[in-house]
Amino acid sequence: MAEAHTEVAHEEAGGLPQLNFATYEEQVVWLFLTFIVLFVIVSRLVLPRVTKVLEEREERIANDLDTAERLRKDADDVREAYEEASAKARKQAQDTILKAKEKIQADIAKAQAELEETLAAKAAEAEARISKAREEALAGVGDVASDVAADLVAKLAGIEGDDAAVSGAVKSALADVKGA
């Protein structure tokens, strides 16, 4: 009889069954029952899965952020270590260059001192040889000058001169020349 009544109502209303007020109470009851069943299914099955996925995602994001922060700190530490090592290497290079420069300057000064010493020794030796040669030459000049003076006196004046007197005159003239 209920079926007949609903069929008659459908035929009488002639529109959409959802808007038929004769079946409105039944539709509201079924709506609540369907809503409750869907709510239970969603809250018991779907919602925990979605919550779990969201929590895992949030945890993964947090882990990724922590990893990124740790890697950034590691990169900063590596950069600072690189800068320190670079500064230290530059300092060592400058020190090495400075030491090499000082050593080279010391070697140059030593070589220059040795050269000056060698040149001074050679100059002193040359002066000694020159002095000795000069003395030998002047000694030889005295004998030659005495012979030449005696020959000149003999040829010009026609007298034989005393060798001692001629030798004394030549020595006195040479002493004047050596002193001057």
Side-chain angles (χ1 to χ4, degrees):
M1 188 160 149
E3 290 178 10
H5 184 273
T6 47
E7 287 179 20
V8 172
H10 284 299
E11 290 176 8
E12 288 176 10
L16 294 173
Q18 295 91 344
L19 299 178
N20 187 354
F21 288 109
T23 61
Y24 189 68
E25 293 172 1
E26 292 176 19
Q27 289 179 17
V28 170
V29 169
W30 281 109
L31 175 70
F32 282 126
L33 286 176
T34 306
F35 180 76
I36 291 172
V37 169
L38 285 175
F39 180 77
V40 168
I41 290 172
V42 167
S43 67
R44 302 275 181 189
L45 298 175
V46 176
L47 192 59
R49 289 180 186 169
V50 170
T51 305
K52 182 179 176 183
V53 168
L54 289 176
E55 287 173 355
E56 288 174 356
R57 188 175 196 192
E58 186 177 323
E59 184 178 319
R60 189 177 335 121
I61 290 171
N63 287 339
D64 289 347
L65 289 175
D66 290 343
T67 303
E69 182 65 24
R70 183 178 45 81
L71 291 175
R72 186 188 61 77
K73 286 181 182 178
D74 290 346
D76 288 344
D77 292 344
V78 168
R79 183 180 46 84
E80 287 175 11
Y82 168 76
E83 288 174 357
E84 288 175 8
S86 177
K88 186 177 179 181
R90 261 190 239 106
K91 176 77 171 128
Q92 286 178 344
Q94 289 173 350
D95 290 345
T96 303
I97 289 170
L98 184 62
K99 287 177 185 176
K101 189 177 182 181
E102 289 172 355
K103 184 177 185 273
I104 290 170
Q105 288 175 347
D107 290 345
I108 288 172
K110 181 181 176 184
Q112 191 173 12
E114 289 174 359
L115 179 64
E116 287 176 4
E117 184 180 312
T118 303
L119 290 176
K122 286 183 180 181
E125 183 182 316
E127 284 179 17
R129 280 189 311 214
I130 290 170
S131 179
K132 182 180 176 186
R134 183 177 180 193
E135 287 176 10
E136 287 175 1
L138 286 178
V141 165
D143 292 338
V144 171
S146 293
D147 290 342
V148 169
D151 286 343
L152 276 173
V153 167
K155 283 189 182 181
L156 290 177
I159 30 179
E160 284 288 321
D162 183 17
D163 286 338
V166 172
S167 213
V170 169
K171 282 184 184 178
S172 120
L174 282 177
D176 288 343
V177 170
K178 285 182 184 177

